[in-house]
Amino acid sequence: MRRNSRDAELRERARLVIPGGMYGHESAALLPDTFPQYFARADGAYLWDCDGNRYVDYMCAFGPNLLGYRHPAVEAAAAAQAAEGDTMTGPSEAMVVLAEDFVSMISHADWAIFCKNGSDATSMAMVTARAYRDRKKILVARSTYHGASPWNTPSLKGIVPEDRAHIITFDYNDLDSAKAAFRSAEGDVAGVFATPFRHEVFADQFLPSAEYATGLRRLCDEADALLIIDEVRTGFRLSRDCSWAVHGVAPDLSAWGKVLGNGHPISALLGSDKARQAASSIYVTGSFWFSAVPMAAAIATLNAIRSTDYLERIVAVADRLRDGIDEQARRHGIPVRQTGPAQMPLILFDDDPDMRKGSFWTGTAARLGVYMHPYHNMFCCAAMTPADVDDTLEITDRAFAELKNALPSLPAQPNERLLQRLAQRR
Ligand code: PMP
């Protein structure tokens, strides 16, 4: 018998002491009410909510869980460092080792700066690019997510036009649009943000063309601007190198976060020698940026990335899930679109403008013990086994069957806040 009384109580208490009850995309406010907001525990591929319900977790903490929650080698390294010291007056030796290890793995990188969140890394990339030739304009593909700082947060509440005054947008995967953006700021383009593949909420994911990737590199070279790849979400799930290495494209800067410490708080900006002087000239720091425990965790994570078949195992379970869902959707006669790389799955239903089908299906799966997201890309991790996927598929099969029964009279999307978000997008 699944319960959610403790979660409901925590949400009620939170309403009084946390603005809006919860903030950011980690808020469960847009999700069906079978989804918990609070969690008590995580291990391997599983999550437990505060009522003791277990989930196979396809969100992986919105990415950071790459190897499995509480991965033994990572936690042992973190515990050993914690016994010696964590946040101190300066960094530990781990910082140098981590920088050496990381730059040895990423083909374009010659140096690293460590920070805490992905937004720190992307903002630092922006500042470094501006410092490079003392220019102002930053080109960003429309509606791509690069963090929650005033220059890029998706909501405009509390943001003034001056925060975005030097941000120029262009269309993703459209080289002509990028060229027009370059022309509009001729002589003043500092850098261009590139997202490895299109992974925005509510929309099908897609990979860009090789021409787009190489074209952005060429445009940056012609303008002597820096190409910045935002690997915060994609890092080490598509490749053991920067994602566009497959296209032969080396950025000047790359922003990393999420998986770097397999859940421990650490992110990084990597750069090539070309950007070294600019990176040395900016002022960046934070009280916790030098903490040694996340760095020790990151060293162990990178070691596992180099020395195990974690990626091949992730891809294998991800393909198994995708094939299984495809088969079920066809058998139940309920078409879905599974887009993007299988290891970062997104499942959207056809003819579902108000997301009533997607919400019902994921809401049912959550009730039965599988945490899947109705509109945000998901993440697979190396702790997932073929048996976990098979257990998942048993549950999604039931969710398809329940959806099929409910379809003839499926009520309109009841979640007002989700409807508002969908309306804002149109
Ligand atoms: N860039 C991308 C592509 C992201 O997906 C995210 C986080 N979802 C960020 C930047 C910001 O990272 P953080 O939330 O750790 O600040």
Side-chain angles (χ1 to χ4, degrees):
M1 175 65 187
R2 297 183 81 80
R3 295 157 289 126
N4 65 3
S5 55
R6 178 85 178 135
D7 195 76
E9 182 209 318
L10 288 168
R11 288 192 202 213
E12 197 50 36
R13 283 165 51 193
R15 272 195 331 106
L16 301 178
V17 288
I18 296 170
M22 180 61 190
Y23 39 82
H25 52 261
E26 294 80 359
S27 168
L30 302 189
L31 299 175
D33 56 15
T34 47
F35 279 79
Q37 177 68 80
Y38 296 95
F39 297 96
R41 195 158 78 83
D43 195 34
Y46 313 121
L47 269 180
W48 285 261
D49 66 22
C50 295
D51 292 284
N53 302 307
R54 193 193 85 155
Y55 304 83
V56 183
D57 175 27
Y58 289 93
M59 285 315 286
C60 291
F62 282 82
N65 175 27
L66 178 71
L67 305 172
Y69 288 115
R70 307 186 64 244
H71 183 267
V74 174
E75 293 316 307
Q81 181 60 56
E84 300 298 322
D86 183 14
T87 305
M88 301 182 278
T89 304
S92 75
E93 183 179 327
M95 184 176 182
V96 182
V97 176
L98 177 59
E100 288 169 346
D101 286 358
F102 206 177
V103 302
S104 77
M105 292 167 67
I106 304 301
S107 49
H108 85 87
D110 298 308
W111 53 261
I113 300 178
F114 298 105
C115 36
K116 285 290 109 178
N117 288 291
S119 296
D120 298 336
T122 55
S123 293
M124 193 154 44
M126 178 182 72
V127 175
T128 305
R130 285 177 169 161
Y132 172 65
R133 289 289 179 255
D134 279 328
R135 296 180 185 166
K136 290 199 273 303
K137 306 295 181 194
I138 299 289
L139 273 47
V140 180
R142 228 179 297 288
S143 308
T144 48
Y145 189 80
H146 294 294
S149 309
W151 68 275
N152 60 17
T153 186
S155 160
L156 290 177
K157 271 281 175 215
I159 305 302
V160 297
E162 286 80 357
D163 290 324
R164 309 268 166 115
H166 301 294
I167 305 292
I168 299 177
T169 54
F170 62 97
D171 293 327
Y172 189 79
N173 204 28
D174 181 340
L175 212 47
D176 287 338
S177 173
K179 280 182 194 157
F182 267 93
R183 273 197 305 275
S184 75
E186 205 164 342
D188 201 19
V189 178
V192 180
F193 272 88
T195 303
F197 73 93
R198 184 73 178 186
H199 51 47
E200 302 318 312
V201 285
F202 300 117
D204 291 337
Q205 307 191 106
F206 61 89
L207 294 160
S209 68
E211 292 70 42
Y212 175 73
T214 54
L216 280 190
R217 179 66 272 179
R218 197 178 54 250
L219 290 172
C220 285
D221 289 341
E222 286 166 5
D224 196 17
L226 298 187
L227 179 64
I228 306 154
I229 297 194
D230 183 349
E231 294 279 3
V232 172
R233 197 177 310 185
T234 46
F236 293 126
R237 267 199 179 78
L238 305 185
S239 162
R240 289 180 175 82
D241 196 349
C242 232
S243 304
W244 282 4
V246 291
H247 300 305
V249 171
D252 304 300
L253 300 171
S254 56
W256 302 74
K258 293 195 186 278
V259 301
L260 184 53
N262 199 53
H264 288 267
I266 183 161
S267 60
L269 177 66
L270 299 187
S272 63
D273 275 332
K274 185 168 145 188
R276 189 189 291 266
Q277 176 55 34
S280 315
S281 71
I282 61 174
Y283 181 77
V284 285
T285 188
S287 298
F288 299 104
W289 285 18
F290 305 97
S291 301
V293 168
M295 292 190 181
I299 292 169
T301 303
L302 293 183
N303 184 39
I305 288 169
R306 282 194 307 274
S307 62
T308 72
D309 61 352
Y310 84 98
L311 184 55
E312 293 68 28
R313 284 187 286 116
I314 292 179
V315 172
V317 290
D319 285 344
R320 190 182 185 91
L321 177 72
R322 180 160 286 188
D323 291 348
I325 299 275
D326 255 345
E327 183 278 321
Q328 293 177 352
R330 263 184 278 111
R331 178 160 42 80
H332 289 279
I334 303 177
V336 299
R337 303 185 305 282
Q338 300 195 76
T339 54
Q343 58 274 36
M344 293 176 65
L346 176 72
I347 305 170
L348 295 177
F349 285 72
D350 280 1
D351 306 319
D352 195 23
D354 69 357
M355 302 222 52
R356 71 179 78 177
K357 292 184 200 171
S359 294
F360 183 95
W361 187 75
T362 53
T364 306
R367 195 189 79 229
L368 297 172
V370 167
Y371 196 111
M372 281 188 163
H373 206 285
Y375 56 80
H376 189 292
N377 79 267
M378 297 178 269
F379 301 87
C380 295
C381 75
M384 290 170 176
T385 63
D388 290 322
V389 174
D390 294 346
D391 291 348
T392 299
L393 288 170
E394 259 184 60
I395 286 176
T396 55
D397 201 29
R398 284 174 62 188
F400 271 118
E402 288 193 26
L403 175 59
K404 194 170 178 176
N405 277 337
L407 263 185
S409 56
L410 191 63
Q413 170 60 253
N415 189 319
E416 267 305 315
R417 288 167 82 165
L418 177 56
L419 287 171
Q420 276 167 20
R421 275 296 301 279
L422 289 169
Q424 278 162 14
R425 290 178 50 83
R426 291 192 185 108

